[in-house]
Amino acid sequence: MAGTTDIFCRSLIIYDKIFCSMQSIKRILFPVLFMVLGLQVSGMPATDSLRYEVLMSTALLKTMNLDAVFIGTLDVTPERHVLVSTKNQAFLLGWGGMKPLGKPASGAIGSFAFTPDGLLMVVRDNEICYFDSLGVLTSLYKLPYSEMGISSGTKTMYVYDRSTGKTNKGVYELSPGGKYKILFELTSPIKSVAEFNGTVLFATRNLLCQFDPATKDYKVLASLSKEKTILSVTADLSGNRIYFSTDREIYAVNNSAAITISKDLGGIVKFYGDGLMVFDPGKDFLIRIVGIENVLAGIQSARPVEKVKSETEVLTNSSITELVKSELADPLIIAIIRRSKVNFNLGVDAIIELSGQGVSSEVILEMKQAMGRQSSQIQQK
């Protein structure tokens, strides 16, 4: 979609100039102007419903005399304010301005999310906290590890291990009362988790995956080139669409394919209401894209979409050993094999070599089964 990012950038320059020219502004509680501008994106059909709302910019923070380094998390309060945070201070951003929430925290805030019934849960070090009546972060539950991420489902919460130090990283389901159970474990860090139609979406390295708690099955929805890392995933439940992002790209996924929305705009994404919020904490940049679903539907009906495919079109023995060396868990490797064309060498010497490279017997069995399935499909044709 060439041109999308150019319009984003031009809009931000305009907004920054407007923000900088505003003189009569309160220093503590800034009356934020969420300026709305309807734009036609190059490569997208014209639509009156598509617009961009700038919620935060560098110029805005400078005007507030706020020098903050934000963490890569955001959520929306029940009162429809956007919640962002540094490592020791949360902030509310809304139509009335931007102001601190609660008192500065002791310890490091790593993540936060609202429960289905509206309680704010904050991960601080190795515990989940809440703000008490005095605005102080108070410990609620202990977590198995430090600096875990947290996200909300329709009835439950999820906590997940984003660290790189340990061998196994887990995704846990947190039930009311502080009871949690492990859903699955991987060997690679889990960057983001979201719930989608009874399944758990998660991002690890360059893969967007789906886990079904009922069947314990994994599915790889999309894979990017191995030098990229997926940072965030979110779901539009009403539109039955998934969005995910890297530090400079955004993609939309439905049941059939993935569409590249931007190749130069990225960060943390969250779908809320009828808009997709994009937050780049390193650049103090937060926008909300409204009406994007209508545009995407128009693109899909007008022409074939751009698919995000596996990095390797045909898997070989060397492809599998590379995946093992990348420390992907066996269930993910098996899921990749099941969705790919294969050309494995499974002679005795080759199998010995695979085992010597650390490929498990479960993966080798799946390689054999994949060759058998592919051979049967060819014969049927």
Side-chain angles (χ1 to χ4, degrees):
M1 297 182 185
T4 303
T5 304
D6 291 340
I7 293 181
F8 280 144
C9 294
R10 288 198 297 270
S11 301
L12 292 176
I13 291 173
I14 294 171
Y15 290 134
D16 273 353
K17 288 181 178 178
I18 294 174
F19 280 129
C20 288
S21 66
M22 302 178 68
Q23 302 298 324
S24 56
I25 297 172
K26 295 181 181 179
R27 294 173 61 86
I28 303 300
L29 188 59
F30 179 79
V32 180
L33 300 180
F34 291 164
M35 301 183 183
V36 178
L37 178 63
L39 300 176
Q40 179 178 343
V41 179
S42 176
M44 291 185 175
T47 173
D48 294 333
S49 63
L50 183 66
R51 68 181 189 272
Y52 306 94
E53 301 173 357
V54 176
L55 279 71
M56 179 191 294
S57 71
T58 302
L60 167 70
L61 298 180
K62 286 182 178 179
T63 306
M64 295 176 59
N65 197 26
L66 179 61
D67 184 14
V69 179
F70 295 100
I71 62 173
T73 303
L74 81 156
D75 207 343
V76 180
T77 73
E79 296 78 23
R80 301 176 65 86
H81 297 128
V82 177
L83 182 65
V84 295
S85 181
T86 66
K87 286 187 176 181
N88 60 11
Q89 179 67 66
F91 292 89
L92 288 174
L93 177 65
W95 289 101
M98 183 174 182
K99 62 181 180 180
L101 172 66
K103 297 181 179 180
S106 59
I109 296 174
S111 183
F112 55 83
F114 284 92
T115 65
D117 56 359
L119 173 67
L120 176 60
M121 286 188 167
V122 179
V123 175
R124 181 186 63 184
D125 299 328
N126 68 333
E127 56 187 2
I128 291 179
C129 303
Y130 71 100
F131 283 103
D132 64 16
S133 58
L134 299 177
V136 177
L137 272 183
T138 303
S139 180
L140 191 61
Y141 310 127
K142 289 290 185 182
L143 291 173
Y145 305 106
S146 296
E147 301 178 359
M148 299 186 77
I150 186 169
S151 62
S152 178
T154 55
K155 296 181 180 180
T156 188
M157 301 293 289
Y158 301 96
V159 290
Y160 49 96
D161 197 344
R162 303 179 293 181
S163 65
T164 57
K166 303 192 322 305
T167 301
N168 294 324
K169 290 86 177 174
V171 172
Y172 301 80
E173 184 180 56
L174 178 66
S175 301
K179 297 180 180 180
Y180 55 82
K181 64 178 181 180
I182 190 165
L183 294 179
F184 59 88
E185 285 186 322
L186 304 177
T187 53
S188 51
I190 299 156
K191 291 292 187 180
S192 182
V193 169
E195 194 178 85
F196 182 67
N197 295 338
T199 67
V200 178
L201 305 173
F202 64 96
T204 179
R205 296 187 183 273
N206 61 327
L207 300 177
L208 173 65
C209 307
Q210 188 174 34
F211 174 76
D212 188 336
T215 63
K216 309 299 182 185
D217 288 336
Y218 294 85
K219 182 179 181 181
V220 178
L221 300 181
S223 59
L224 306 180
S225 55
K226 61 183 179 181
E227 69 273 8
K228 297 178 181 180
T229 299
I230 298 175
L231 298 179
S232 182
V233 57
T234 187
D236 170 14
L237 299 180
S238 61
N240 200 39
R241 194 182 297 278
I242 300 163
Y243 296 90
F244 69 98
S245 59
T246 68
D247 61 343
R248 61 178 57 189
E249 297 162 326
I250 303 172
Y251 301 89
V253 185
N254 64 6
N255 293 328
S256 60
I259 305 169
T260 304
I261 296 178
S262 169
K263 292 185 178 180
D264 292 302
L265 178 70
I268 308 302
V269 292
K270 182 175 180 61
F271 198 92
Y272 180 80
D274 60 348
L276 178 68
M277 291 188 289
V278 184
F279 178 39
D280 187 334
K283 298 179 181 178
D284 298 329
F285 166 69
L286 173 59
I287 67 169
R288 181 168 175 260
I289 310 171
V290 182
I292 191 171
E293 187 62 31
N294 296 332
V295 178
L296 293 176
I299 293 173
Q300 288 179 288
S301 63
R303 59 179 174 81
V305 299
E306 175 185 356
K307 293 186 177 181
V308 179
K309 300 179 180 179
S310 296
E311 181 185 345
T312 307
E313 289 290 339
V314 180
L315 294 181
T316 63
N317 289 31
S318 60
S319 305
I320 300 303
T321 56
E322 287 180 8
L323 292 175
V324 171
K325 290 178 181 178
S326 297
E327 299 183 347
L328 284 187
D330 284 355
L332 291 185
I333 297 176
I334 290 171
I336 292 173
I337 293 173
R338 288 177 179 173
R339 74 187 291 267
S340 304
K341 295 180 180 179
V342 298
N343 184 23
F344 297 132
N345 176 4
L346 297 174
V348 175
D349 291 341
I351 290 177
I352 293 174
E353 176 66 20
L354 287 168
S355 297
Q357 294 290 328
V359 181
S360 70
S361 58
E362 290 81 4
V363 171
I364 292 175
L365 176 60
E366 183 60 38
M367 294 170 69
K368 292 179 180 178
Q369 292 174 344
M371 289 293 288
R373 289 192 299 268
Q374 188 167 279
S375 177
S376 297
Q377 292 171 358
I378 293 174
Q379 291 176 3
Q380 290 175 1
K381 293 179 180 179

